[in-house]
Amino acid sequence: MYFKLHWLVHFLVGTALGLACLLGAHAEAADSATTATVHGHVSDPSGARIAKAQITIATASGTAAKTVASDDTGAYEARGLTPGNYVVIVDSPGFAEFQSQALELTPGEVKRVDVTMAIEVAQQSVEVSDDTPQVSVDAGSNANSIVIKGSDLDALSDDPDELANELSALAGPSAGPNGGQIYIDGFTGGQLPPKSAIREIRINQNPFSAEFDRLGYGRIEILTKPGTNQLHGRVFLQGNQSSLNTGNPFTPSVPPYYMLQYNGTVTGSLGKKTSFEMSVEQRNNHDENVYTYTPAVLDTTSGQYTLSPTQFSDTLSNPHDRIEIAPRIDVQLGQKDTLTLRYQFFRNAESGDIGSNDLPSQSQDTHFIEHTIQASDAHIVNDHMVNETRFEYRRSSDSAAPVSTAPTLVVSGNFTGGGASGQSSSQHDEHFELQNITTMSKGSHAIKFGTRLRDNRIASSSFSNRNGTLVFSEQGYVDALNALAAGDSLSTLPQGDFTQLRISAGRTDFNANVFDAALFIEDDWRVSPRFTLSGGLRWESQNHISDRSDWAPRVALAYALDAKGNKPAKTVLRAGYGIFYDRFDVDSVLSAAENGIDSGQAQVTLLSPACLSGTDLNSMDFTACLPSQPYAATPQTTTVQISPDFHSPYVNQFGASIERQATKSITATVTYLRSLGVHQMVTRDANAYLPGTFEYGSTTLTGARPDAALGVINEFYPEAVFKQNQMIVNVNARLGPKFSMFGFYNFSDANSNGAGGTASNSYNLNQDYGRAGFVSRHMVFMMGNYVGPWGIRVNPFVIAHTGRPYNVVSSLDLTGDQYLNNRPSIVASSLCTAGSTQYYQTKFGCLNTIPQPGEDLIPINAGDSPASAAVNLRLSRDFGIGPKVESGGGGDFGGPRGHWRGRGPGGGFGPGGFGGNGGRPGMAGSQGAARKYSLSFSVQALNVLNIINYGTPLGTVGTSRFGESTSLQRGPFSSGAAARRIFMQAVFSF
């Protein structure tokens, strides 16, 4: 499979590059046309786009050759210009008139002129460039970033779950186990807004900026749409049903299912100084989840239970319905102030959500409601300074109710049955976030500084594991059924059959609160036209950990290697270094509060079933297993704590890239990243048996813990590390107005000693040093936008990667720490005899599930998951209907309302615009003259080639399906029931 994917990666990359070059040559041949084009954006000093500005393209003698107006996104385009010398004149109320230097336009040339207007009589700035994408030495103009807006958003799915998958693929792999981060209007966390409410998506911009806490590679910034000065609206309907999809290889038949999604968006003016935008979306997704397991069956001849030779599979109905309501208001408080208010209501209800190896009795009915309020004020202090204040309050409530209260039954490497261990629970979360950011320019310096304050609170009431959990090996489960059928106690089971018993009792209500603060300052210094030096410093702090002061310096440079005179550079070298911290999250603080030594809750774990009574695994009595009240920590209880010397995890990241303007319409970037994660969090037993005092199966060693009065102490321990190297090749092409493409190939190699996981040896983390399980070695991605004959828009979306490593483990707790992650040893093949319950012959060799001292353990993450690939394709066609209207340029109805609208977070627009001019002509989007209304039809096929992508294989040695995949790969590769899915959509706009 590795060689197949390796070939596929090279094929896709080669095809993409070849297609880009081919079409690039075609596009450049088309440049022999007799006319030229000037286009760009008009902005105010804060970066806000100015609508309805008048742009005049005049000859050197002052004669107007073309006059156009900027649209609601500040974009303009003037076509059909005769080659010659011109100037660009821009006029907008409240701003000084702008006039560019002379521009020489050649036949077929497309020149970009971006204008920054100034208030009153201050001097404007202008950026003149050829077709995007382009290379630049600006700090935020790295060519491997991507900006998606306007009609290019159509390439992404409207289904919120699929959209989240696609955004993660677009951002590519970040460094370390925590992945990237999503910002919504500058705020962290929260629900994705409906796609109809999204104005722009920025990915991987300015990766070493001190403004952000997390790594820049993998960062996704989502900006929502403001209102407009004219009434516009959009209604769409999207549907999918099982008859349009393919089947599932794990079950012969799947009951009918469907998805239906509605969305309505309206935007307009509430007066001269107020505009609004509102989106309402509902999705009813009645899916099917496929589950598989190997059951124990009764042999009528022997009267004994045996493991079935065949795998059983079935489906469980999985309805999950959601609704989102997202209004936004933009108010001009004065000539220099813009206030933005946004509210989002989100509700999701779901049942039947189980894993691929969970039985239907594991299901819970869940309800989630979230309210989000955001307010921001952008204030223009003067011509050189803008201050923005943002505040967010988010409150959510989450509840779950089980369909079964029976004990949870875990058969390692096979299935999980009985009632859900979570049982009944309810939780309320509150999130407060305040930001203040100032942007200023001083000569050749662009300075930004600010602060962020966050507070997260949780109030939880949980009856988790009150039903009890029984954990068996696969053979132990069969032996238990036979013992109970014969009237025997489970205490008669052989050692190793019964793995552990877990049950909780006592207090159920707990609270947690985490507060963190950050300050930052950065300076982008334009040393010369060919050299930019950026430096920044970030300071962070939070409560609940001993580490209260974290300093994160950042530095980056961009240097044009071949700039000569006034000619733009074709090659730019970038390099940067930064430290990025991960904050200790509120859920971990809650876990420590719920299960602390003095919490008043007992979480009991026993390695013997002697205290159990009953004749049915689904109705065992756990009463005798609980300690006497009050529920204090004992040698039988499991507690949770934060390391007393906790140091915030952080990543040292160095990056260097070469950006090359391959042609007028294609840029290519090669990037190398080196990431070193230190103080990475791992969970270990802080009260583990001392080395040499515990041996599984021994009759002479009883085991001794550092604190004999306590049992297992699960400690959040920040002493793991990871080392990661990445090589990324990006191609960004805009080959004329009808075709654009973005793609990348990523090679990643990472090693770790357990970062983000659980230690198999609490006294020696390096026993687990080896391949990290959070990376795929090879990944390729491509996304395109092509307008073909008859106005048919084609949007391909391709993603493929090799499988991630997976761990090979024994089903036994070999160290007494209750973690079922101990690895077997590799021994002589002669020990693997038929019928052995300790030695197993596998593709990794003969494995001993009870390794002895001195034997070599199998390396960490020795297995390789199957490779995955998917090709998504959307076809759409717009039809203009109704009376003809005067076209004002482009743009969906998501642009700013005039010059006073706040710019939103993040500064200017990046260089790597994925393509497109910001929207369809007018609102019609059809060929020819614009119409008052438009009607669009589209069909989207996810995994159109119906590639069967298998999930991670089972890694528990000794189980009947060891090394086999029992599910499809999720994410962008499949849904719960189908490998290929087809969605139909209709959109009406006015």
Side-chain angles (χ1 to χ4, degrees):
M1 180 61 74
Y2 170 85
F3 291 105
K4 290 182 180 178
L5 187 68
H6 188 68
W7 175 88
L8 177 61
V9 164
H10 284 285
F11 172 75
L12 289 173
V13 171
T15 301
L17 290 171
L19 181 61
C21 293
L22 217 81
L23 291 173
H26 176 73
E28 292 184 1
D31 284 344
S32 60
T34 58
T35 61
T37 299
V38 174
H39 70 106
H41 285 87
V42 183
S43 308
D44 69 12
S46 73
R49 300 305 168 90
I50 301 176
K52 308 306 178 186
Q54 180 176 292
I55 298 95
T56 302
I57 313 298
T59 63
S61 62
T63 303
K66 183 78 68 172
T67 299
V68 296
S70 61
D71 66 13
D72 287 335
T73 66
Y76 74 92
E77 186 174 56
R79 294 175 175 269
L81 296 169
T82 303
N85 293 323
Y86 294 90
V87 293
V88 177
I89 303 171
V90 184
D91 182 64
S92 181
F95 296 91
E97 184 183 84
F98 164 81
Q99 180 171 322
S100 74
Q101 72 271 26
L103 307 174
E104 183 180 356
L105 299 180
T106 58
E109 184 175 10
V110 179
K111 183 80 73 177
R112 178 169 178 165
V113 180
D114 287 335
V115 176
T116 300
M117 304 289 286
I119 299 171
E120 302 304 334
V121 296
Q123 176 135 13
Q124 303 92 335
S125 64
V126 60
E127 179 181 334
V128 181
S129 65
D130 292 330
D131 304 58
T132 56
Q134 59 183 350
V135 297
S136 167
V137 296
D138 289 344
S141 299
N142 47 301
N144 55 358
S145 67
I146 180 172
V147 177
I148 306 175
K149 56 188 176 181
S151 60
D152 295 317
L153 288 168
D154 291 343
L156 301 176
S157 176
D158 288 275
D159 181 271
D161 295 332
E162 298 299 338
L163 176 61
N165 292 331
E166 291 170 350
L167 290 179
S168 296
L170 266 168
S174 185
N178 295 322
Q181 191 172 31
I182 294 179
Y183 294 81
I184 301 173
D185 282 336
F187 298 100
T188 55
Q191 303 296 321
L192 284 179
K195 197 184 84 171
S196 63
I198 296 176
R199 181 186 93 225
E200 182 175 318
I201 299 173
R202 306 172 183 175
I203 297 174
N204 298 338
Q205 277 198 329
N206 200 1
F208 295 100
S209 169
E211 180 180 357
F212 301 96
D213 52 352
R214 298 282 290 276
L215 295 166
Y217 293 99
R219 184 175 66 237
I220 301 170
E221 299 174 66
I222 296 175
L223 305 181
T224 59
K225 290 178 179 177
T228 58
N229 55 357
Q230 295 182 359
L231 183 66
H232 292 295
R234 179 178 185 267
V235 179
F236 88 78
L237 171 67
Q238 177 174 267
N240 166 264
Q241 64 177 17
S242 53
S243 61
L244 298 174
N245 303 337
T246 57
N248 189 292
F250 293 100
T251 186
S253 61
V254 177
Y257 58 92
Y258 68 92
M259 188 279 286
L260 196 59
Q261 183 177 352
Y262 313 84
N263 177 280
T265 302
V266 63
T267 179
S269 173
L270 297 176
K272 293 184 178 180
K273 297 184 178 182
T274 305
S275 63
F276 74 94
E277 197 269 352
M278 183 170 182
S279 179
V280 179
E281 182 169 287
Q282 179 171 348
R283 186 193 68 174
N284 301 324
N285 192 350
H286 288 222
D287 207 344
E288 293 285 331
N289 273 330
V290 178
Y291 63 94
T292 62
Y293 72 105
T294 303
V297 295
L298 183 62
D299 188 326
T300 56
T301 303
S302 64
Q304 294 285 301
Y305 283 93
T306 60
L307 206 62
S308 172
T310 59
Q311 177 178 292
F312 179 82
S313 65
D314 206 346
T315 63
L316 176 66
S317 179
N318 176 218
H320 43 295
D321 302 332
R322 59 188 288 167
I323 184 171
E324 288 185 76
I325 303 174
R328 169 175 167 156
I329 295 177
D330 295 272
V331 184
Q332 179 185 0
L333 299 180
Q335 188 165 350
K336 296 184 178 182
D337 274 278
T338 301
L339 174 67
T340 297
L341 300 173
R342 180 175 177 268
Y343 168 74
Q344 183 171 351
F345 170 81
F346 176 87
R347 185 185 68 190
N348 186 76
E350 184 170 8
S351 63
D353 183 21
I354 60 173
S356 60
N357 299 125
D358 292 339
L359 301 188
S361 58
Q362 282 285 296
S363 177
Q364 292 178 294
D365 295 329
T366 61
H367 293 82
F368 179 83
I369 295 177
E370 183 177 84
H371 303 269
T372 302
I373 298 173
Q374 296 176 343
S376 65
D377 176 77
H379 174 69
I380 302 174
V381 180
N382 54 45
D383 291 350
H384 306 287
M385 182 180 295
V386 177
N387 179 266
E388 187 168 9
T389 302
R390 311 171 193 153
F391 174 76
E392 179 185 66
Y393 171 70
R394 191 167 70 241
R395 178 179 174 84
S396 64
S397 60
D398 192 359
S399 63
V403 300
S404 171
T405 57
T408 304
L409 178 62
V410 178
V411 179
S412 299
N414 191 332
F415 69 87
T416 300
S421 62
Q423 290 297 288
S424 299
S425 65
S426 63
Q427 181 171 300
H428 295 275
D429 295 47
E430 287 186 302
H431 171 89
F432 300 85
E433 186 167 348
L434 176 65
Q435 302 178 26
N436 184 270
I437 299 174
T438 299
T439 304
M440 59 183 294
S441 60
K442 182 71 173 177
S444 59
H445 295 266
I447 302 170
K448 182 180 285 190
F449 57 90
T451 183
R452 183 188 70 186
L453 306 176
R454 290 190 305 190
D455 189 77
N456 290 282
R457 304 175 182 176
I458 293 181
S460 174
S461 177
S462 174
F463 291 85
S464 177
N465 207 33
R466 262 51 179 187
N467 58 332
T469 299
L470 300 173
V471 184
F472 292 93
S473 66
E474 194 172 66
Q475 184 58 47
Y477 170 59
V478 175
D479 291 343
L481 292 177
N482 286 323
L484 294 176
D488 296 331
S489 168
L490 292 182
S491 60
T492 63
L493 294 179
Q495 186 179 31
D497 277 3
F498 184 88
T499 305
Q500 58 186 232
L501 175 156
R502 299 192 297 262
I503 188 170
S504 300
R507 183 179 168 188
T508 60
D509 298 328
F510 293 88
N511 299 316
N513 172 263
V514 169
F515 173 81
D516 69 88
L519 300 170
F520 80 91
I521 183 171
E522 63 182 14
D523 178 14
D524 298 327
W525 177 25
R526 193 70 172 260
V527 180
S528 71
R530 62 188 299 177
F531 180 43
T532 298
L533 180 64
S534 301
L537 182 65
R538 186 178 181 88
W539 174 83
E540 299 178 6
S541 181
Q542 74 169 93
N543 60 354
H544 292 298
I545 59 175
S546 59
D547 181 15
R548 300 294 178 86
S549 185
D550 299 320
W551 295 92
R554 318 275 171 85
V555 63
L557 62 87
Y559 182 72
L561 297 177
D562 54 359
K564 294 181 180 179
N566 295 325
K567 294 184 178 181
K570 297 296 183 180
T571 307
V572 172
L573 168 69
R574 290 182 183 271
Y577 168 80
I579 294 178
F580 302 85
Y581 283 89
D582 289 318
R583 303 265 49 98
F584 193 70
D585 63 87
V586 67
D587 290 320
S588 298
V589 174
L590 178 65
S591 178
E594 288 177 327
N595 303 288
I597 292 176
D598 300 319
S599 66
Q601 176 179 236
Q603 185 182 159
V604 180
T605 302
L606 299 175
L607 304 182
S608 169
C611 59
L612 290 171
S613 61
T615 59
D616 188 346
L617 291 178
N618 292 319
S619 58
M620 283 285 161
D621 186 354
F622 288 77
T623 306
C625 303
L626 291 170
S628 59
Q629 297 188 40
Y631 297 108
T634 70
Q636 287 76 41
T637 58
T638 298
T639 56
V640 176
Q641 72 175 23
I642 303 170
S643 173
D645 301 319
F646 193 97
H647 191 292
S648 299
Y650 65 91
V651 177
N652 295 277
Q653 186 172 70
F654 166 78
S657 63
I658 291 289
E659 302 173 354
R660 175 66 181 175
Q661 190 83 42
T663 70
K664 290 174 61 177
S665 52
I666 300 174
T667 62
T669 307
V670 178
T671 303
Y672 168 73
L673 297 177
R674 168 69 173 178
S675 303
L676 173 63
V678 297
H679 291 292
Q680 297 296 299
M681 195 168 75
V682 64
T683 303
R684 69 157 188 166
D685 180 6
N687 198 35
Y689 288 111
L690 295 171
T693 67
F694 179 88
E695 184 177 344
Y696 182 84
S698 173
T699 58
T700 58
L701 299 178
T702 58
R705 294 186 182 276
D707 189 338
L710 298 176
V712 172
I713 301 177
N714 287 329
E715 182 179 70
F716 298 121
Y717 185 61
E719 295 303 330
V721 300
F722 76 82
K723 300 176 182 178
Q724 185 172 1
N725 293 288
Q726 293 174 270
M727 184 67 72
I728 309 169
V729 180
N730 296 79
V731 177
N732 197 346
R734 174 162 170 74
L735 308 175
K738 292 188 176 183
F739 181 80
S740 56
M741 183 203 75
F742 171 83
F744 65 81
Y745 163 75
N746 180 287
F747 168 83
S748 184
D749 177 74
N751 290 285
S752 174
N753 60 354
T758 303
S760 67
N761 185 334
S762 296
Y763 291 106
N764 181 16
L765 297 185
N766 285 335
Q767 180 176 294
D768 292 335
Y769 189 82
R771 294 201 304 171
F774 53 77
V775 298
S776 297
R777 197 167 182 83
H778 302 277
M779 178 180 178
V780 65
F781 173 85
M782 191 276 284
M783 180 178 176
N785 189 344
Y786 172 67
V787 180
W790 307 291
I792 297 177
R793 185 180 296 273
V794 182
N795 296 114
F797 185 104
V798 179
I799 177 173
H801 63 68
T802 52
R804 292 184 176 182
Y806 69 91
N807 207 12
V808 176
V809 299
S810 170
S811 64
L812 308 175
D813 179 8
L814 302 177
T815 56
D817 59 11
Q818 303 172 11
Y819 307 148
L820 301 181
N821 63 348
N822 300 115
R823 300 194 304 280
S825 60
I826 303 176
V827 295
S829 299
S830 59
L831 296 175
C832 284
T833 58
S836 172
T837 59
Q838 179 177 342
Y839 302 96
Y840 296 90
Q841 186 65 50
T842 71
K843 66 179 181 179
F844 304 100
C846 182
L847 300 182
N848 178 11
T849 57
I850 310 177
Q852 300 303 305
E855 293 182 350
D856 293 329
L857 300 181
I858 189 172
I860 189 79
N861 295 319
D864 288 306
S865 300
S868 300
V871 178
N872 300 348
L873 185 65
R874 177 193 284 266
L875 303 176
S876 60
R877 175 67 162 90
D878 303 328
F879 299 90
I881 56 178
K884 296 180 180 179
V885 296
E886 181 180 353
S887 176
D892 292 335
F893 47 87
R897 185 188 188 275
H899 68 267
W900 49 264
R901 195 199 69 75
R903 65 183 175 85
F909 292 75
F914 170 54
N917 54 12
R920 303 181 179 92
M923 283 300 300
S926 58
Q927 303 296 312
R931 301 280 180 170
K932 187 174 183 179
Y933 310 107
S934 72
L935 191 60
S936 175
F937 297 97
S938 66
V939 56
Q940 183 180 31
L942 305 181
N943 191 11
V944 65
L945 301 180
N946 194 32
I947 301 172
I948 304 300
N949 298 293
Y950 290 98
T952 303
L954 297 176
T956 304
V957 179
T959 56
S960 57
R961 293 182 293 170
F962 170 70
E964 297 180 17
S965 297
T966 60
S967 65
L968 293 177
Q969 182 72 269
R970 302 299 289 266
F973 303 104
S974 74
S975 71
R980 179 176 64 212
R981 293 146 289 164
I982 297 179
F983 294 82
M984 312 293 289
Q985 185 186 88
V987 182
F988 174 74
S989 302
F990 63 89

